[in-house]
Amino acid sequence: MVMEQSNTTAQIGGIAAERLRSIIERIERVERERGKLASDIKDIYAEAKSAGFDVPVLRRIIRARKQEPSEVEEQEALFDTYRHALGM
């Protein structure tokens, strides 16, 4: 295995080891933060449920707010069409 040394980064097998380590550590940090955020979101849903709100409906509203209004209208129309076809 060829090992080259530059002024700023060790090259091992053509890979900048410190750069790779930095990227991996950043990903790990963000994944930990994501886990904490997921826990916070779960707590908020539990709070909403204890306040009498319907959690699946809240999730549906949040999902719809991320979409364009035309997409939401199209999905709602299709949902109604499917329900009607099933006699609901």
Side-chain angles (χ1 to χ4, degrees):
M1 181 181 300
V2 176
M3 188 169 161
E4 299 174 17
Q5 184 72 29
S6 70
N7 289 341
T8 58
T9 305
Q11 294 285 324
I12 302 172
I15 298 174
E18 285 303 312
R19 177 73 172 148
L20 176 60
R21 183 181 331 281
S22 171
I23 289 169
I24 296 295
E25 289 172 353
R26 287 172 40 212
I27 291 169
E28 290 171 338
R29 185 182 69 249
V30 170
E31 285 181 348
R32 282 191 303 273
E33 291 170 6
R34 180 173 56 182
K36 291 176 188 175
L37 291 174
S39 177
D40 290 347
I41 292 169
K42 183 178 176 182
D43 292 345
I44 294 168
Y45 279 119
E47 176 185 341
K49 184 175 182 176
S50 71
F53 293 103
D54 188 296
V55 172
V57 174
L58 293 177
R59 290 182 189 280
R60 187 172 174 184
I61 290 170
I62 290 169
R63 187 173 48 250
R65 287 171 52 109
K66 293 177 184 178
Q67 298 173 326
E68 293 295 323
S70 61
E71 292 176 9
V72 174
E73 290 175 16
E74 182 180 326
Q75 288 179 357
E76 290 294 327
L78 190 56
F79 182 76
D80 289 340
T81 299
Y82 286 2
R83 285 180 36 172
H84 181 70
L86 294 171
M88 298 174 68

